[in-house]
Amino acid sequence: MIPNFLIAYYGNGLTYGMPMDHTSLIGIGLIVLAGIVGFIVQVGMRKHMQEYSAEPAGLTGEQIAREMLDAHGLHNVQITHIPGQLTDHYNPATRTVNLSENVYSRASVAAAAVAAHECGHAVQHAQAYPWLGMRSSMVPVVNIGTHLGQWILLIGLIIAAAGSSTWVAWTGLALFSLSTLFTFVTLPVELDASRRALVWLRTSRHISPAMHEHASSALRWAAMTYVSAALSSVAVLVYYILRLLALSSRDRR
Ligand SMILES: [Zn+2]
């Protein structure tokens, strides 16, 4: 993957000498703003996760996950532990809930929240939750589209900067925009998994109401990282749209 800033840098470098219009500056401002918001959310999320990781709960993440899966009749879904921090995920292909070491073996409020959230995805899968199905079927298209799109966009910017038409760049951007769409389809999937997790944690009574409030806060912070990722993806997209509109209007002059 070519980092976005590199494409932006090339895009600007290639069109250097062309007066930088104020719309492109707005685009850059949006990218910077989204970057700052993303950073604040990341710091806040890690700080709160650390805090709730130190708050003891009755069961380990693995035990919580097993109970929640069994309560939904998902006895065939396996729970494994994987290396890293915040690497927890549900894999629909292997029907496994993969928990990081801190979540798997720790009995903390954060571990309970994260383990239950991942089981929420397993329940979505079992119940054929439409947004999850849509998200999964988008993965191969988005991977190819984004990869191909950024190269076509880069080539298109070179062509446009040389004074030719911008349609190649627009085609690249259209493919690239699939990744933005993907970040938005991810939002309902993540929010719904957290909702299912919190409902189960409350009804199963494995954690106290005070702990439940903290588990809810932990999952809210995690959700905000997905929202900020979607916003920063929009910012990059808007930047390119403004940049290409400026190049297109130059073509017409
Ligand atoms: Zn999730």
Side-chain angles (χ1 to χ4, degrees):
M1 293 279 278
I2 315 171
N4 287 327
F5 71 87
L6 208 62
I7 300 184
Y9 175 79
Y10 273 115
N12 281 322
L14 290 166
T15 50
Y16 189 74
M18 231 185 86
M20 188 75 169
D21 55 296
H22 69 280
T23 49
S24 293
L25 285 176
I26 293 171
I28 290 175
L30 284 176
I31 292 177
V32 171
L33 193 67
I36 293 169
V37 170
F39 178 76
I40 293 170
V41 168
Q42 274 291 331
V43 170
M45 192 267 286
R46 284 176 186 271
K47 184 183 153 287
H48 282 84
M49 281 293 182
Q50 221 163 31
E51 189 185 316
Y52 304 140
S53 287
E55 188 176 347
L59 298 174
T60 64
E62 191 262 340
Q63 290 167 326
I64 289 277
R66 189 69 272 158
E67 290 229 3
M68 181 167 165
L69 291 171
D70 289 348
H72 288 84
L74 300 176
H75 309 284
N76 57 341
V77 174
Q78 303 291 313
I79 306 161
T80 61
H81 55 93
I82 50 167
Q85 269 192 335
L86 302 171
T87 47
D88 312 80
H89 65 280
Y90 170 69
N91 185 341
T94 55
R95 285 184 172 269
T96 50
V97 168
N98 301 276
L99 302 177
S100 63
E101 204 49 59
N102 273 348
V103 172
Y104 186 91
S105 48
R106 282 238 197 122
S108 73
V109 170
V114 172
H117 170 93
E118 299 312 333
C119 293
H121 287 308
V123 176
Q124 287 174 336
H125 188 204
Q127 296 180 359
Y129 176 64
W131 287 101
L132 181 73
M134 185 170 167
R135 188 181 183 277
S136 303
S137 59
M138 275 179 79
V139 171
V141 185
V142 169
N143 280 345
I144 297 169
T146 311
H147 200 76
L148 209 65
Q150 59 187 355
W151 285 105
I152 296 174
L153 177 58
L154 188 59
I155 293 165
L157 284 169
I158 295 170
I159 294 171
S164 291
S165 164
T166 51
W167 73 265
V168 176
W170 280 113
T171 307
L173 189 58
L175 286 170
F176 189 73
S177 70
L178 286 172
S179 61
T180 306
L181 186 65
F182 188 73
T183 60
F184 278 89
V185 174
T186 298
L187 293 181
V189 178
E190 293 305 327
L191 294 176
D192 179 77
S194 289
R195 186 190 60 78
R196 290 172 195 263
L198 291 168
V199 167
W200 186 79
L201 284 173
R202 187 172 54 239
T203 50
S204 67
R205 296 169 186 269
H206 283 307
I207 56 175
S208 70
M211 286 178 188
H212 188 274
E213 185 42 50
H214 290 163
S216 169
S217 160
L219 293 179
R220 262 200 309 276
W221 276 100
M224 273 199 277
T225 64
Y226 287 102
V227 174
S228 81
L231 290 180
S232 89
S233 187
V234 169
V236 171
L237 194 63
V238 168
Y239 165 79
Y240 286 128
I241 290 172
L242 293 175
R243 199 79 191 126
L244 287 181
L245 283 176
L247 282 167
S248 302
S249 71
R250 177 208 62 182
D251 286 352
R252 284 193 294 274
R253 277 201 294 270

